[in-house]
Amino acid sequence: MAEAAWRRVGDGASSSSSSGDEQGEGPGGPPRRVYLCPFLPLTPFLPTGAPCLSFDVVPDPLGQELGRFPLSLRLCAGTQAETAQANRLLVMKMHNLHRTGAGAAGAESSDSDEDEEEEKKPQLELAMIPHYGGINRVRVTQLSETQVAAVWSEKGQVEIYDLRRPLVAISDPQAMATFLREEQAKIKPLFSFAGHMTEGFAMDWSPMVPGRLVTGDSKKNIHLWSPKADGTWQVDQRPFTAHTASVEDLQWSPTEATVFASCSADGSIRVWDVRAAPGRACMLTASQAHASDVNVISWNRHEPFLLSGGDDGALRIWDLRLFQTGTSVATFKQHTAPVTSVQWHPTDGGVFAAAGADDQVTQWDLAVERDQEGEGESEDDPALASIPPQLLFVHQGETDIKELHWHPQCPGVLITTALSGFTVFRTISV
């Protein structure tokens, strides 16, 4: 798998570029294409000084569309601190996020007053829950009216936390004071499972069955969690077994309540049905999905496609109707190091984003085809010819990117976590 531990200390100055169609006149030459990012990356920030290996977006109760500026985002993340005692589960509210850069130049060029500039500074509210041990992965879901977070610990436990109190705290200064004074130190997991007997990274909540969870570990086992009426979970002690190495990622089907997919360091991707006994539940297998470890997968919400990224740097698209052939329908090799995160766009079934250990975030659109009129220009420039037409945008400058997510309520907004911190940006591409 892509190395999970943080490898180096460094800072990143974010920069973005795109293969989009905004035209500009180059000196003494034909029109050139430039990338525009109307909402440029915020300065990467580390809320506690310790980097976060994983995070998830917490849906905002204000509604489905939060795309108007200034933006407001809620995240839940887990730290990878130098000592086990120094780790925290973080609940954050990033707000007052204004449009910057080229897209804002016309609208905001007259805003030179210092007081007004001060008003436009991004704001962060942060509630921290003490957690013993580094946090490998965080996934959030809603149960009834309550947001809960599943946490994979490096200590070999999977824990479920109720996020109600920290979410109230980040929205109300008085509630934050009460949280810090009376509640922070008392928060304990709702439920904990230590049956994996080792650490892991793979984890996903079912979008079809509230409270249903699958978790996978570095010793190739996958366990199914089923919610109980008393607010706890029944974890099936019989693991799903077919992989021969670490389970790296898990994804539930967005349309079939009993089906999930897994990927592994054994190079395979498997599709399972929980209605069968765990030992016979593996229904489909691509045994050589990548040349080496398959690190991450994402299940498309709108099309029968699965997206995968591996240690070989490749991104592959799998048509589940043809999965039994063991051959992907598309392969992209833009990344030059292991792919560490992939995700389909929440509303556009042809768009996805990926991040890699090469410190790049790439944005893709499968609907784009090569412009026949520009074919001659591509042939003249070998570097241009090597760029897939589906590649819309490349974001660089972060250090050791580990995970990305689209915000489901802020159209086109991407959030990343890296050794250099969290970054938020939106392009003109989607």
Side-chain angles (χ1 to χ4, degrees):
M1 69 173 284
E3 187 176 353
W6 299 95
R7 300 192 300 268
R8 59 188 184 274
V9 176
D11 235 350
S14 298
S15 63
S16 300
S17 60
S18 157
S19 53
D21 293 324
E22 192 71 15
Q23 300 288 336
E25 190 71 26
R32 59 184 175 87
R33 296 184 176 186
V34 300
Y35 299 106
L36 291 181
C37 189
F39 182 42
L40 289 178
L42 301 175
T43 300
F45 68 95
L46 292 173
T48 66
C52 295
L53 192 61
S54 178
F55 74 99
D56 204 0
V57 176
V58 181
D60 197 296
L62 293 178
Q64 290 301 310
E65 290 291 332
L66 300 174
R68 295 181 180 178
F69 291 100
L71 299 180
S72 175
L73 319 173
R74 302 193 306 175
L75 308 177
C76 182
T79 64
Q80 290 269 322
E82 293 185 1
T83 64
Q85 294 87 348
N87 283 290
R88 300 290 185 268
L89 180 65
L90 311 177
V91 179
M92 296 176 278
K93 180 182 180 182
M94 296 160 34
H95 59 109
N96 204 42
L97 307 183
H98 286 266
R99 183 191 301 264
T100 63
E108 301 182 6
S109 59
S110 63
D111 298 335
S112 57
D113 183 84
E114 292 185 2
D115 291 338
E116 189 168 345
E117 289 299 317
E118 185 69 24
E119 291 176 0
K120 292 182 179 180
K121 284 188 176 180
Q123 303 295 319
L124 174 68
E125 314 300 333
L126 176 64
M128 298 187 289
I129 300 171
H131 185 275
Y132 183 77
I135 294 174
N136 292 343
R137 190 153 294 177
V138 175
R139 291 293 180 263
V140 174
T141 193
Q142 182 167 317
L143 300 180
S144 297
E145 300 300 318
T146 303
Q147 299 287 346
V148 299
V151 174
W152 238 127
S153 169
E154 67 177 2
K155 299 301 181 183
Q157 290 186 317
V158 181
E159 301 152 321
I160 310 294
Y161 283 87
D162 185 335
L163 300 182
R164 280 179 293 186
R165 285 182 284 179
L167 284 172
V168 170
I170 61 174
S171 300
D172 185 316
Q174 289 185 333
M176 177 64 79
T178 301
F179 176 81
L180 295 173
R181 185 176 61 250
E182 302 176 6
E183 300 172 346
Q184 182 179 42
K186 298 178 182 178
I187 294 181
K188 304 298 180 185
L190 292 174
F191 187 80
S192 182
F193 176 65
H196 279 284
M197 306 296 290
T198 185
E199 73 172 325
F201 297 86
M203 180 165 60
D204 195 37
W205 291 104
S206 169
M208 302 285 290
V209 181
R212 180 178 280 179
L213 180 72
V214 281
T215 54
D217 62 43
S218 60
K219 289 187 177 179
K220 71 186 181 183
N221 292 324
I222 301 169
H223 287 275
L224 173 66
W225 299 45
S226 300
K228 297 167 63 177
D230 64 357
T232 62
W233 280 261
Q234 174 65 45
V235 184
D236 195 332
Q237 300 295 320
R238 303 169 301 163
F240 294 92
T241 54
H243 287 297
T244 58
S246 173
V247 179
E248 301 295 273
D249 203 4
L250 291 161
Q251 283 275 287
W252 283 100
S253 165
T255 58
E256 296 183 78
T258 63
V259 176
F260 71 89
S262 63
C263 66
S264 169
D266 63 14
S268 73
I269 300 173
R270 298 177 182 270
V271 178
W272 312 73
D273 193 323
V274 301
R275 290 174 293 185
R280 300 191 298 272
C282 182
M283 301 298 173
L284 298 171
T285 302
S287 58
Q288 295 180 322
H290 284 256
S292 54
D293 301 20
V294 188
N295 295 330
V296 283
I297 52 175
S298 179
W299 202 312
N300 195 306
R301 298 184 188 181
H302 308 283
E303 304 290 344
F305 295 154
L306 199 66
L307 167 65
S308 64
D311 263 6
D312 54 5
L315 296 164
R316 297 187 185 276
I317 311 294
W318 304 86
D319 188 329
L320 293 166
R321 296 165 296 189
L322 306 172
F323 194 75
Q324 66 273 17
T325 66
T327 303
S328 60
V329 296
T331 300
F332 302 106
K333 193 66 171 65
Q334 172 70 18
H335 289 276
T336 58
V339 175
T340 57
S341 188
V342 295
Q343 190 175 54
W344 289 101
H345 190 279
T347 59
D348 190 330
V351 173
F352 67 89
D358 56 359
D359 299 336
Q360 291 191 91
V361 175
T362 55
Q363 202 176 92
W364 304 78
D365 188 346
L366 299 181
V368 177
E369 298 180 357
R370 190 174 297 279
D371 184 0
Q372 298 300 320
E373 294 181 2
E375 199 70 39
E377 179 184 344
S378 298
E379 292 175 357
D380 294 339
D381 188 340
L384 186 61
S386 68
I387 298 175
Q390 294 83 9
L391 179 61
L392 296 182
F393 186 87
V394 178
H395 168 73
Q396 298 175 318
E398 295 184 68
T399 304
D400 209 0
I401 306 166
K402 291 301 184 184
E403 194 167 275
L404 62 77
H405 290 288
W406 298 96
H407 195 294
Q409 295 168 293
C410 299
V413 170
L414 271 170
I415 308 137
T416 65
T417 184
L419 181 62
S420 48
F422 286 91
T423 302
V424 183
F425 63 93
R426 188 170 76 183
T427 76
I428 63 171
S429 304
V430 294

